[in-house]
Amino acid sequence: MKLLRIYRALLTAQLQATAQYRAQAFLYVLFSVIRPIVFLAAWVAVANARGGSVGSFDVADFAGYFIALTLVSHLCMSWFAWEFEQDVAQGNLSPRLLRPLHPIHYAAAANISYKIVTSIGLLPILLLVAVSFHARFQTTLEHLLLFIPSMILAAVLSFLFDWVQASTAFWITRSSQVSFVLGRVSFIFGGQIAPLALLPGVLGTIAYALPFGYMLAVPADILRGGVDPARGLLLVGAQALWVLLFYAALQRVWRAGVREYSAVGA
Amino acid sequence: MNAPVFVRDLAKSYRVHEREEGLGAAMRALVKRRYRDVRAVDGITFEIGEGEVVGFLGPNGAGKTTTLKMLAGLLYPTSGEATVLGHTPWLRESRFLTQITLLMGNRSQLVWDIPAADSFRVLQQIYEIGESDYRVRLDELSDLLDLGPLLHKPVRQLSLGERMKVEFAASLVHAPRVIFLDEPTIGLDVTAQTRIRRFVADYNRRTGATILLTSHYMDDVVALCRRVLVIHHGKLLYDGGLADLATRMAPYKLVVVTLADGASPRFDEFGEVVASEEGRTTVRVPRESAAERTAAIIRAFEQQVVDLSVEDPPIEEVIDRVFSGERPLSQVRS
């Protein structure tokens, strides 16, 4: 109950702060739609050149996938590692460490409020793209019921993953470069360039052994009805395992990192 | 151990990357790095009693802020022990954090884009302050700091002085029992400094909170602290009354003599003349012979003396003498 009350107050404050930057929110929405649409357009061109499909994906499937992926990546986005580098280097973390509330909660509230504000602009655009590309969704009620936990787990996993990376700032001054490199890896293995099912040979196997796909491609595939519910359930279980793993990792890294913190400046 | 703040042999070393200037050294540092341990705090011991306001003095880099950060739980020490209200600070237990505050003059804790009142609501929930207590405390802080409309303006629109007052309120809304203030008046104009000083004194009187304060402005220390800790190169040089500081650190007094008609005869035989203008001369005399020399001055210029006073040197000067190495450290240790 205490945490709920804190979150209500934090969200009230954060929503006001986020709502002040309309231009930033607009640009963000634009940016988050442009990239998947470029990939979608490329895959549509490839599919058309090959007689209408690539593997099991035709143009309407690609549209469904990239639209679902855009929504998922929007709801999963976590950018904390980029800010935390400065917070540690300049000592801005100090005031938050002095409060009897783990700093992760401030970041979580900021993350949620930003998504609430930006989703308002994103959803109509996604709807428009879906209609224009005749996107195919084979979603059943079972898929929708699976999508909810899958989406939540993906968002939590992405957030924890981000925090583990962020915590490297206690040791590495330019820790955002760690995020930069991992972002590139996620580009391939998260399903941002292509659906995981289309990754050639061993790359597909690797993708399912790494955490990136569980933050993006897996919930996207479930949302568009691209996996059968039994396999979907298995994938959600794998997501839960990754969440547990990163939660444990964060506990260890954070505890060790705070000992290293030198609270520079003040 | 029953004192609200207890510190024994506390030390903190930082590992610092070191290299020569120039491109060659930068390239070498890519392959092999050289590190040096810097001892920021070097085994200090002290206690602060309930309700005391203690000034922590020292030049930049002396170890004041590092000590404060350890006592507030931000830093892990390299060795030694400390308890604040019975808790080991760096374990950062919730029970500990709800009873202390560290206000840093050059660090903001408020959300810049929204009015402070909204940030205060967050603090109310974090510290689990009931609505009526919250109202009473906020009214009291508003009253003492004259916050009024400031709480309802976005923080980024406040002036530095206004923001500092709001920061104070944000740091104290949970009614901490131990307060660490690190340069609370830095960058403020004289009026704002005076107001903050008055506020800290009032707050201490009203709540009985224990306060440890660092400041480069001696006026802050003189106005608020009867006791001071002096730290230099990480070592505690002095722990005692502010009044005794001059006695221990400066072995001299200043005799200020004003003669009639602006006369300025030679005073060299009485002591070292440190200032002389329009008949007003300041002579530095050894502390132990101050009475005797003053009597000699009166005897010598009996008819001409208009005014005469014997003073301790200004506290800034006393401290400066110690920090500049003019006064051997062994002689000032309490």
Side-chain angles (χ1 to χ4, degrees), chain B residues 252-258 267-268 271-277 279-285 297 309 311 313-314 317:
Chain B
Y252 60 87
K253 287 205 163 215
L254 299 175
V255 182
V256 185
V257 196
T258 308
F267 279 93
D268 294 351
E272 183 192 348
V273 176
V274 289
S276 178
E277 55 181 22
R280 190 170 186 270
T281 307
T282 306
V283 188
R284 185 188 277 173
V285 299
I297 291 172
S309 64
E311 300 166 1
E317 196 181 309

Side-chain angles (χ1 to χ4, degrees), chain A residues 2 5-6 9-10 13 16-17 20-21 90-92 94-95 97-101 106 258-259 261-266, chain B residues 14 69 72 74-76 92 94 97-98 102 104 106-109 113-115 118 121-123 125-128 156 170:
Chain A
K2 181 196 168 191
R5 280 199 301 271
I6 291 174
L10 277 173
Q16 289 181 62
Q20 295 213 4
Y21 296 101
Q90 294 173 7
N92 298 333
S94 300
L97 279 179
L98 289 167
R99 304 282 184 208
L101 180 71
Y106 301 94
V258 166
R259 287 189 74 114
Y261 182 53
S262 57
V264 186
Chain B
Y14 292 110
K69 284 179 195 162
L74 281 180
L75 292 184
Y76 276 71
R92 275 211 299 281
S94 284
L97 293 172
T98 50
L102 165 62
M104 296 170 273
N106 55 355
R107 182 75 64 219
S108 178
Q109 57 185 313
D113 299 311
I114 58 170
D118 291 302
R121 281 290 176 190
V122 175
L123 295 177
Q125 297 307 331
I126 291 176
Y127 289 105
E128 297 182 84
R156 65 179 141 84

Side-chain angles (χ1 to χ4, degrees), chain B residues 60-264:
Chain B
N60 287 334
K64 307 182 297 288
T65 304
T66 299
T67 306
L68 245 52
K69 284 179 195 162
M70 285 192 280
L71 294 180
L74 281 180
L75 292 184
Y76 276 71
T78 309
S79 62
E81 57 178 308
T83 58
V84 174
L85 298 168
H87 298 268
T88 302
W90 41 91
L91 297 180
R92 275 211 299 281
E93 298 153 295
S94 284
R95 283 279 300 143
F96 164 72
L97 293 172
T98 50
Q99 296 185 80
I100 65 127
T101 201
L102 165 62
L103 182 108
M104 296 170 273
N106 55 355
R107 182 75 64 219
S108 178
Q109 57 185 313
L110 300 161
V111 182
W112 276 65
D113 299 311
I114 58 170
D118 291 302
S119 290
F120 279 62
R121 281 290 176 190
V122 175
L123 295 177
Q124 181 196 0
Q125 297 307 331
I126 291 176
Y127 289 105
E128 297 182 84
I129 309 168
E131 186 62 26
S132 57
D133 275 353
Y134 174 74
R135 283 268 147 235
V136 169
R137 280 181 209 167
L138 202 57
D139 284 351
E140 189 180 40
L141 288 166
S142 288
D143 186 34
L144 281 171
L145 286 161
D146 195 17
L147 296 179
L150 301 184
L151 290 176
H152 303 287
K153 279 207 253 176
V155 172
R156 65 179 141 84
Q157 287 177 13
L158 301 177
S159 71
L160 181 62
E162 290 174 335
R163 186 169 66 71
M164 212 51 224
K165 290 199 293 182
V166 179
E167 295 277 356
F168 254 95
S171 298
L172 299 174
V173 74
H174 60 289
R177 287 175 58 202
V178 173
I179 299 170
F180 301 108
L181 301 175
D182 190 20
E183 303 286 351
T185 55
I186 198 162
L188 299 184
D189 62 34
V190 179
T191 319
Q193 283 180 26
T194 312
R195 171 159 258 162
I196 292 286
R197 261 173 228 140
R198 202 177 304 141
F199 166 74
V200 174
D202 275 355
Y203 188 85
N204 168 255
R205 230 183 343 266
R206 284 192 195 199
T207 63
T210 305
I211 300 174
L212 180 56
L213 150 107
T214 79
S215 180
H216 278 113
Y217 300 117
M218 278 310 297
D219 288 349
D220 286 350
V221 178
V222 172
L224 294 167
C225 314
R226 287 221 299 271
R227 176 183 163 201
V228 291
L229 303 170
V230 179
I231 188 171
H232 194 33
H233 295 312
K235 289 184 183 299
L236 202 61
L237 299 187
Y238 176 81
D239 176 357
L242 184 61
D244 293 340
L245 186 66
T247 317
R248 284 182 183 278
M249 289 194 171
Y252 60 87
K253 287 205 163 215
L254 299 175
V255 182
V256 185
V257 196
T258 308
L259 299 183
D261 307 325
S264 297

